[in-house]
Amino acid sequence: MSSRVRVLRKQNRLSLEALAERVGVTKSYLSKVERGLSDPSISTALKLAHALNVDVGRLFSDEVEPELITVVRADERTPMGAGTGPGDTRYEGIATGLTDKRMVPFMMHPPTEPADPPFKSHAGEEYLFVHEGTAELEFPERTVALGPGDSVYFNSALPHRCRSTGARPAAVLVVIHDEPSGPADHVPTLP
């Protein structure tokens, strides 16, 4: 139950103090519950479940919450966007079935054609990791050459575009983190 309470508290974006106040217990007592040093009474468990918007049984279940962990095998990635032509970037979604996530991970296979797609930008931050092949990440003022194992982390408000530089399209892991101040239902656009 201890780690379950901590995970649910964080999912609800509550501080230890805020949850303790909602439940009517002290912060130090709740901390002990989260660390497994104290077991709550039935009454306190019911209050915890209510404050965390879950059924009380969920606090005591030994099962791992399916929405807390998602595994996507390489052959289970979700094709995203058209990406059918030789000059198109191909995208494969990762964890597309997981809701309420703050990061958007996907595989990108930028084209090898010398076309100059428009620069794109969006709110948040972006991380690229080259899994296979070689690529260039271009900003208006700078171009970064990338090989297998190289990575780049940047503010995605900077205009950027990517292309493969080898004979075959590179395989690039991209993770976008959208600004938390944006609308709750907003999903960043693909680069």
Side-chain angles (χ1 to χ4, degrees):
M1 173 188 206
S2 58
S3 63
R4 179 71 43 94
V5 172
R6 181 181 298 115
V7 167
L8 290 169
R9 175 176 61 80
K10 290 182 177 185
Q11 273 188 325
N12 281 275
R13 298 179 181 167
L14 293 170
S15 67
L16 197 61
E17 188 174 351
L19 180 57
E21 188 176 307
R22 284 186 183 186
V23 175
V25 297
T26 65
K27 181 179 167 183
S28 64
Y29 173 74
L30 185 57
S31 175
K32 288 179 184 177
V33 169
E34 285 193 356
R35 291 181 287 143
L37 302 175
S38 185
D39 291 322
S41 66
I42 299 283
S43 172
T44 302
L46 288 168
K47 290 177 185 175
L48 271 169
H50 185 301
L52 295 169
N53 301 311
V54 296
D55 182 87
V56 72
R58 201 161 152 199
L59 295 178
F60 294 99
S61 172
D62 287 336
E63 291 182 23
V64 174
E65 299 292 330
E67 69 269 15
L68 298 181
I69 298 171
T70 185
V71 176
V72 178
R73 305 287 179 205
D75 62 347
E76 297 172 341
R77 295 179 190 151
T78 307
M80 300 166 57
T84 55
D88 294 339
T89 299
R90 187 168 52 93
Y91 299 99
E92 298 171 335
I94 301 172
T96 54
L98 191 62
T99 60
D100 196 33
K101 59 183 177 272
R102 294 186 188 102
M103 296 185 298
V104 180
F106 55 92
M107 288 300 292
M108 176 175 69
H109 303 274
T112 57
E113 299 296 313
D116 287 329
F119 284 99
K120 298 200 177 179
S121 63
H122 48 87
E125 299 174 332
E126 194 163 328
Y127 174 78
L128 276 71
F129 176 87
V130 179
H131 179 65
E132 294 176 350
T134 57
E136 281 184 347
L137 180 61
E138 187 179 354
F139 301 96
E141 308 279 324
R142 179 179 178 193
T143 299
V144 180
L146 301 166
D150 292 345
S151 64
V152 180
Y153 188 103
F154 61 97
N155 183 319
S156 49
L158 291 170
H160 57 281
R161 61 187 174 195
C162 188
R163 72 177 187 94
S164 295
T165 56
R168 297 178 52 213
V172 181
L173 171 67
V174 180
V175 180
I176 296 174
H177 181 271
D178 197 17
E179 288 292 335
S181 59
D185 61 348
H186 174 71
V187 175
T189 58
L190 298 173

